[in-house]
Amino acid sequence: METDCTRDESPAHGGVITPLPTGTRLLHIGPHKTGTTSIQGALFAARDEMARHGVAWPATTRHPMEAVLAACARPGMMGDTAPTERHWERFLEQVRATGRSTSVISSEFFADAPEGDTIGRIVERLGGDRVHVLVTLRPLARIMPSQWQQYVQNGLRMGYGDWLEHMLRKPPYEKPNPSFWHRHRHDRLVERWVRVVGPERVTVVVVDDRDREGLMRVFEALLGLPARLLNPVPDTANRSLTRAETEMLRNLNKEFRANELPAELYSRLVRNGAVMHMKNTCTPGPKDVKIRTPQWAVEAAAEIGAEIAERIDGTGVRVIGDMRLLSAVQLAAAQGCAPRSDQEPRIAPEAAAQALYGALAAVAAAPARHTGAAGSRTVHRTSSKELVRVLGHRCLKRLRLR
């Protein structure tokens, strides 16, 4: 496909990327599932070294999620602490403290900003004309399974096949997750931000999954950093769930919702207890079945990807990478997307045990309202018999309160 927009090759492929002007505030808006967690981890780990080269990382954490959610007027994850304007104001104070230095800000939740004045206010408060927007893209067929299992981690009960039907075949394609196409109709995402900052201050990077560190090389080049300063940071908590793990969680979501348990318990016991502990302690093996996308959905996603590429080409933004990747169609079996009849999602006993332990540990670690035998000790110091007694007491107490 021919294009009129500015196009650079990735440094990994021998191309040269012109660095952004000194003093730029590079705003990476994701969207989700395009390498955001990986690049945020690398930037946060290298923040002291970047500062020695004149590039600031304003956030005090890897990801200032609550601040960005507040800026975009979006709720937090199910049961998590509600984002407030104070979160956003504190982050803006950190951004202002960087002065005239080049700085980089990254959050995929900026992609959730609604159309209209919200984006304008975000850009103005982050530096106005100094802001340069960076959008990272991957093929939709690669994004869909990861995004679905992430929605399951936030309480979704719909199976993958039904979810694909709703997202791709059932107008207006908004149920059960209206945020999906707001984030991942990437041409419209780019257009929303171009209308505020102009095409000359937007860069689109097409992530090539065959080059695991290519995105880090792009960030280094844009920020004028030395090559290989950014490096991957292992993060087991960010790994995708296997199909069996996701199905276990999806069925748990059904029970959780049917019994009308409070969202705060879901956040603490399920997402930040069971799921987090399972991710941190269990590494999927070659026999674990991945979430597989049927061929019809792969082809449908590629058609949408072609439309996305064409419309982005028409915006005049700078593009780094190969836009043809967005519409490439591969046989699902070859790319690990086609279902195999001889493979069933069976969760390993160890994974199930670790998930259960994670939930129990989250309950036991919660602050006790009274001083008792186990109230002042961590879960690791409490005997299994005493732990069961304490957990049973707390669960019954919660049920009675409800």
Side-chain angles (χ1 to χ4, degrees):
M1 181 184 298
E2 295 297 324
T3 175
D4 295 328
C5 62
T6 305
R7 188 176 299 283
D8 288 343
E9 288 296 326
S10 166
H13 295 100
V16 177
I17 295 176
T18 305
L20 297 168
T22 301
T24 295
R25 284 181 175 158
L26 182 60
L27 178 61
H28 176 214
I29 66 170
H32 297 66
K33 306 304 176 184
T34 59
T36 52
T37 301
S38 177
I39 194 65
Q40 288 157 7
L43 290 166
F44 185 65
R47 62 194 183 281
D48 292 338
E49 189 64 25
M50 289 196 305
R52 285 190 275 272
H53 293 278
V55 178
W57 174 260
T60 56
T61 61
R62 181 192 62 79
H63 182 196
M65 182 171 67
E66 291 84 2
V68 179
L69 288 170
C72 297
R74 299 286 295 176
M77 299 283 281
M78 176 180 167
D80 284 1
T81 301
T84 67
E85 188 65 19
R86 183 56 186 151
H87 288 112
W88 177 231
E89 291 295 336
R90 279 199 298 265
F91 180 66
L92 290 174
E93 291 171 5
Q94 295 160 5
V95 173
R96 287 192 290 268
T98 65
R100 301 304 302 174
S101 299
T102 299
S103 56
V104 55
I105 300 160
S106 176
S107 173
E108 56 270 37
F109 287 98
F110 280 117
D112 288 349
E115 184 81 54
D117 295 340
T118 301
I119 294 176
R121 286 196 299 269
I122 290 171
V123 171
E124 183 61 31
R125 302 208 68 189
L126 287 176
D129 292 344
R130 294 177 60 186
V131 173
H132 188 99
V133 177
L134 177 63
V135 186
T136 46
L137 302 183
R138 293 175 72 219
L140 286 170
R142 298 287 189 184
I143 288 174
M144 283 181 148
S146 296
Q147 187 68 89
W148 171 73
Q149 61 92 28
Q150 193 68 52
Y151 283 133
V152 172
Q153 291 184 54
N154 197 37
L156 180 67
R157 293 162 290 165
M158 183 179 287
Y160 189 42
D162 288 342
W163 185 81
L164 289 171
E165 288 279 348
H166 279 75
M167 292 294 102
L168 295 169
R169 287 177 168 174
K170 294 187 177 182
Y173 316 107
E174 294 180 349
K175 295 180 179 180
N177 302 110
S179 63
F180 180 79
W181 287 119
H182 185 80
R183 297 168 176 173
H184 295 301
R185 186 70 203 209
H186 300 144
D187 47 350
R188 295 171 189 164
L189 172 64
V190 170
E191 289 165 358
R192 285 197 295 272
W193 288 81
V194 164
R195 281 193 285 272
V196 174
V197 302
E200 68 281 356
R201 286 166 51 203
V202 176
T203 295
V204 171
V205 179
V206 182
V207 178
D208 190 339
D209 288 333
R210 297 167 296 183
D211 182 6
R212 291 183 176 273
E213 297 185 17
L215 185 57
M216 296 182 191
R217 308 289 82 84
V218 170
F219 268 79
E220 291 166 350
L222 289 173
L223 293 168
L225 294 170
R228 306 290 168 180
L229 185 145
L230 300 178
N231 295 288
V233 177
D235 185 5
T236 56
N238 187 50
R239 74 164 176 87
S240 293
L241 299 179
T242 66
R243 183 179 167 196
E245 290 169 342
T246 311
E247 287 299 320
M248 177 189 71
L249 179 57
R250 187 172 70 85
N251 282 282
L252 176 59
N253 291 346
K254 292 180 181 180
E255 294 297 321
F256 204 93
R257 186 65 62 87
N259 287 281
E260 299 181 341
L261 295 175
E264 183 271 340
L265 280 182
Y266 186 90
S267 172
R268 182 155 54 89
L269 303 188
V270 180
R271 185 171 55 249
N272 296 311
V275 175
M276 189 64 69
H277 190 73
M278 182 174 64
K279 283 183 175 183
N280 284 327
T281 56
C282 300
T283 302
K287 293 183 178 181
D288 287 295
V289 181
K290 296 181 179 180
I291 300 167
R292 302 181 185 276
T293 306
Q295 186 68 27
W296 71 264
V298 172
E299 294 172 357
E303 290 181 11
I304 297 171
E307 296 174 12
I308 287 172
E310 184 175 3
R311 287 186 60 167
I312 290 177
D313 281 344
T315 63
V317 302
R318 180 189 196 182
V319 174
I320 299 174
D322 188 356
M323 291 285 278
R324 293 172 297 181
L325 291 174
L326 301 182
S327 57
V329 178
Q330 297 177 337
L331 289 177
Q335 66 170 340
C337 291
R340 283 176 48 183
S341 59
D342 61 333
Q343 285 188 307
E344 292 296 331
R346 298 183 182 277
I347 191 164
E350 179 189 2
Q354 294 294 354
L356 177 59
Y357 179 82
L360 295 176
V363 174
R369 296 186 180 182
H370 63 281
T371 303
S376 59
R377 299 201 299 273
T378 67
V379 64
H380 304 291
R381 295 180 180 178
T382 306
S383 69
S384 58
K385 183 177 180 180
E386 191 173 0
L387 179 61
V388 169
R389 182 184 63 79
V390 172
L391 295 178
H393 173 76
R394 291 187 183 178
C395 289
L396 288 172
K397 185 175 181 179
R398 288 182 180 277
L399 289 174
R400 284 197 295 269
L401 287 173
R402 287 190 57 78

